[in-house]
Amino acid sequence: MARVFNFAAGPSMLPESVLNRAAAEMLDYKGSGQSVMEMSHRSKVYDEIIVGAEKLFRELLNVPDNYKILFYQGGASLQFAGIPMNLLSGSGKADYVLTGQFATKAYEEAKKYGDIKAVGSSKDKTFSYIPELDKADFTPDADYFYICMNNTIFGTRWHELPDTGDVPLVADVSSCFLSEPMDVSKFGLIYGGAQKNVAPAGLTIVIVRDDLIGKAKAFTPTVMDYKVMADNDSMYNTPPCYSIYMCKLMLEWIKNLGGLEAIQLRNQKKAQILYDYLDSGSMFSNPVVPKDRSMMNVTFVAPTEELNAKFVKDAAAAGFVNLKGHRSVGGMRASIYNAMPIEGVEKLVEFMKEFEANN
Ligand SMILES: *Cc1c(COP(=O)(O)O)cnc(C)c1O
């Protein structure tokens, strides 16, 4: 069996050891005589899985006690609506920074529920940088301030957080969850779909500070109300059982590697190998402002559309798949999430050097 190096932006690779463990536990999970997919979410054996996943998440990310961890279905996109429904409870105002397509979608969705202001945007240059902000533009009585921490499609990230004072900072961390240590106490809420760094698709994790829970708008669907979800330990209705189980296996894998400090070193190394090559070679270049570069999604372009297309095709034939950039930007993108081994990036760079020499 030949496994490929999958550079997809999501769903993405999972570590082979995690997949092997899931396979070994598939037919008879710990003597229960059934797979995790088949068991009741109210059973004792499943309870250990969901409670264990939450506990490990809290431990690895160092989540303070006054934050709840909620396991949702519906993807990050459902939270584009869930966040304003739950948090626009005071002035009804919020500030958003438009750093890419997902931030813009979140902004457009929030506009259905309140008075939403864009206080910065990098759309003028195809979202290739993180905009400078002027605090004078911030809404002083905003209910929250929203950013997308890592911009999956465009390959940028926030390296420094905006200073929002007492206004709770909310961040979409879908494409950088658990890729490095993070000070959760700087945020009112962080959330992300799991299918990039943490688990297969189907699970969305919301980490929210206690004082922001319990103020949902009256029309909020019951399952979308963070208080209902928190009071029911993410089991108001059926949770995405199997994704949560896979998430737990991923968390154990990260812990065994040495936790988030260790995974950060590994992720930094992978990104460095790629950016160093992009900065030194003559065929490919990275279109992002260097200080705003993402550690997870590395975008690059060849000089012509023909070469871009040929590269994507030749790379796939050589076992490096899903390198085509998002349809809105073109070129290439290598997503190098937690599960991508260093070897995968080293081999990709070797392949790029060969391609450069032959074309
Ligand atoms: C993938 C992604 C989303 C969308 O996630 P879904 O789970 O498909 O809704 C939102 N934000 C970011 C930053 C992403 O990378």
Side-chain angles (χ1 to χ4, degrees), residues 74-78 80 102 148 150 152 172 174-175 193 195-196 204 337:
S77 301
L78 183 62
F80 294 169
F102 292 119
C148 180
N150 182 76
T152 322
D172 176 354
S174 292
S175 50
Q195 69 272 27
K196 319 263 156 94
T204 306
Y337 299 124

Side-chain angles (χ1 to χ4, degrees), residues 99-294:
T99 52
Q101 198 186 92
F102 292 119
T104 306
K105 280 185 172 168
Y107 164 74
E108 293 296 340
E109 190 75 20
K111 284 206 282 190
K112 295 180 184 171
Y113 306 104
D115 183 0
I116 310 298
K117 182 178 175 188
V119 294
S121 169
S122 48
K123 189 165 186 233
D124 60 339
K125 291 182 181 152
T126 332
F127 300 114
S128 57
Y129 67 105
I130 300 290
E132 292 292 327
L133 303 177
D134 183 351
K135 274 179 84 170
D137 295 333
F138 295 8
T139 306
D141 62 341
D143 288 328
Y144 64 93
F145 189 107
Y146 184 103
I147 62 170
C148 180
M149 194 79 167
N150 182 76
N151 298 285
T152 322
I153 294 174
F154 303 94
T156 65
R157 67 164 289 178
W158 291 82
H159 285 274
E160 234 174 273
L161 297 176
D163 176 10
T164 61
D166 290 336
V167 174
L169 185 59
V170 170
D172 176 354
V173 298
S174 292
S175 50
C176 56
F177 234 160
L178 301 182
S179 64
E180 62 185 353
M182 190 175 180
D183 185 354
V184 176
S185 73
K186 291 200 168 124
F187 299 86
L189 182 153
I190 60 174
Y191 77 101
Q195 69 272 27
K196 319 263 156 94
N197 261 314
V198 212
L203 168 65
T204 306
I205 297 143
V206 177
I207 303 181
V208 54
R209 208 170 63 207
D210 285 340
D211 61 290
L212 299 174
I213 299 176
K215 301 174 191 168
K217 291 181 179 294
F219 59 72
T220 303
T222 307
V223 283
M224 202 62 255
D225 183 337
Y226 295 151
K227 177 152 173 43
V228 173
M229 220 51 172
D231 288 350
N232 288 281
D233 299 320
S234 300
M235 294 252 230
Y236 171 76
N237 64 332
T238 316
C241 300
Y242 198 75
S243 287
I244 293 171
Y245 158 72
M246 289 297 290
C247 178
K248 180 163 179 276
L249 298 189
M250 262 307 274
L251 292 164
E252 285 166 2
W253 178 80
I254 293 172
K255 187 173 171 174
N256 283 336
L257 277 183
L260 295 190
E261 280 84 9
I263 204 95
Q264 179 183 35
L265 284 177
R266 207 176 109 105
N267 287 332
Q268 280 170 340
K269 183 161 179 201
K270 287 183 286 179
Q272 178 105 41
I273 292 169
L274 255 177
Y275 285 123
D276 280 353
Y277 167 63
L278 292 172
D279 290 343
S280 65
S282 54
M283 165 80 75
F284 301 103
S285 60
N286 167 247
V288 163
V289 169
K291 74 173 178 48
D292 298 327
R293 284 172 170 176
S294 165

Side-chain angles (χ1 to χ4, degrees), residues 1 17 42 54 115 134 138 267 347 357:
M1 175 201 58
S17 62
R42 309 273 177 206
E54 195 206 314
D115 183 0
D134 183 351
F138 295 8
N267 287 332
K347 290 201 163 149

